[in-house]
Amino acid sequence: MQTQFKRSNIDIGFDLFLYIVMTIAAIATLYPFLNVLAISFNESVDTVRGGIHIWPRAFTLENYESIFRFPGLIKGFQNSVLRTVIGSILGVISASMVAFVLARRDFQARKPFSMLFALTLYFSGGLIPSYMLMRDLHMINTFWVYIIPGMLGVWNVFIIRSYIDGLPYALQESAKIDGASDFTIYWRVILPLCKPVLATIALFIAVGHWNSWFDTFLYNSSNEKLTTLQYELMKVLQSTQSGNEAHNTNIVQNVAKVSPESIKMAITMVVSVPILLVYPFLQKYFVKGITLGAVKS
């Protein structure tokens, strides 16, 4: 038999206060996105007048058409998708494998290795040594310069290791007694239990790969077949802001039809929508994965 509790006026007032605060927070979060979306679909000349909020005043697709007429954008999109998929898969696998080893209580050198990994969070070689390293490894003008240098994220390793530390170690001992190898324990016992944190880390890595453009500028800017979407959009934005300096006549003709503000908003939507489409599928793991993996040690 269920007991009915009568709520006091203070409880009702507090709930009402929370609803008001959450409504204000939701509006403050959604409004900038809706404003960018509205400007991206509004005519450039009309946009200059201002006063656009959440609905385009003079609807047009010209801003997006101008972006996708630029040469190299489709190839850049293909490279970005390929980079995001491969980089995320390899990044999650490598981080989880290292985290599994560091979480093993029978691994005697777990603390020295953890300290060694932690040092890389505070110190780095710098831009010029990194470039020289990639050059000596013959990775410049190759696709793998996007994947290999950033394949192992130490911060991701620590989050996954903390999550594994929260799992009962008796599971690994029981599997060991049953004759399972270390790889079998990792693959068939640990990984299925780490879905929330792995999904969260995969989202972090995917967003990083998708938004990255500076490594393309640094290592592959001279190879048009290996440029990424973000780098191509950066070139579009620069061409829009200084159209007279563009050497490509097609680019000059395209940028003459739109304003830099409209192009900025359209580019923002182009780079945001793919990640927004992925996020709902990982959202159910997000809070659980980041909290259970981050609060320990």
Side-chain angles (χ1 to χ4, degrees), residues 93-297:
I93 291 176
S94 60
S96 61
M97 292 182 78
V98 176
F100 170 69
V101 174
L102 294 181
R104 291 288 297 265
R105 298 175 185 175
D106 55 349
F107 180 46
Q108 301 297 324
R110 55 183 293 188
K111 289 187 177 179
F113 271 97
S114 296
M115 293 180 63
L116 187 63
F117 280 122
L119 288 176
T120 62
L121 292 173
Y122 300 98
F123 304 100
S124 66
L127 181 61
I128 295 177
S130 298
Y131 181 85
M132 295 173 64
L133 177 62
M134 294 301 110
R135 182 196 61 188
D136 294 341
L137 292 174
H138 304 288
M139 294 184 67
I140 293 179
N141 283 330
T142 66
F143 176 79
W144 294 105
V145 75
Y146 299 140
I147 306 297
I148 295 178
M151 194 166 68
L152 182 63
V154 175
W155 182 253
N156 300 332
V157 170
F158 286 161
I159 292 178
I160 299 174
R161 188 201 65 180
S162 298
Y163 192 95
I164 297 175
D165 283 339
L167 301 176
Y169 191 69
L171 291 173
Q172 298 187 43
E173 293 178 330
S174 300
K176 196 75 173 178
I177 293 174
D178 290 340
S181 64
D182 290 336
F183 183 79
T184 302
I185 296 173
Y186 160 75
W187 189 258
R188 304 188 63 176
V189 177
I190 298 300
L191 281 192
L193 296 174
C194 291
K195 284 182 181 178
V197 71
L198 295 181
T200 305
I201 296 301
L203 182 62
F204 287 165
I205 298 175
V207 171
H209 276 292
W210 181 257
N211 289 332
S212 182
W213 67 271
F214 187 67
D215 49 2
T216 306
F217 169 75
L218 200 61
Y219 302 122
N220 287 337
S221 58
S222 60
N223 192 338
E224 295 181 352
K225 295 181 179 179
L226 294 175
T227 57
T228 58
L229 177 65
Q230 314 300 331
Y231 180 73
E232 293 296 334
L233 291 175
M234 186 272 295
K235 290 196 308 184
V236 172
L237 186 59
Q238 287 185 340
S239 301
T240 306
Q241 292 174 334
S242 56
N244 294 331
E245 297 177 1
H247 300 294
N248 191 317
T249 55
N250 293 328
I251 294 178
V252 174
Q253 293 174 357
N254 290 335
V255 300
K257 301 177 181 177
V258 294
S259 67
E261 189 69 16
S262 301
I263 287 294
K264 283 181 187 176
M265 301 308 173
I267 288 175
T268 302
M269 295 308 303
V270 169
V271 300
S272 301
V273 167
I275 292 299
L276 292 177
L277 294 177
V278 173
Y279 186 80
F281 297 100
L282 303 177
Q283 185 182 13
K284 62 180 180 180
Y285 300 114
F286 195 78
V287 175
K288 185 179 179 182
I290 197 64
T291 53
L292 294 182
V295 297
K296 303 180 184 65
S297 63

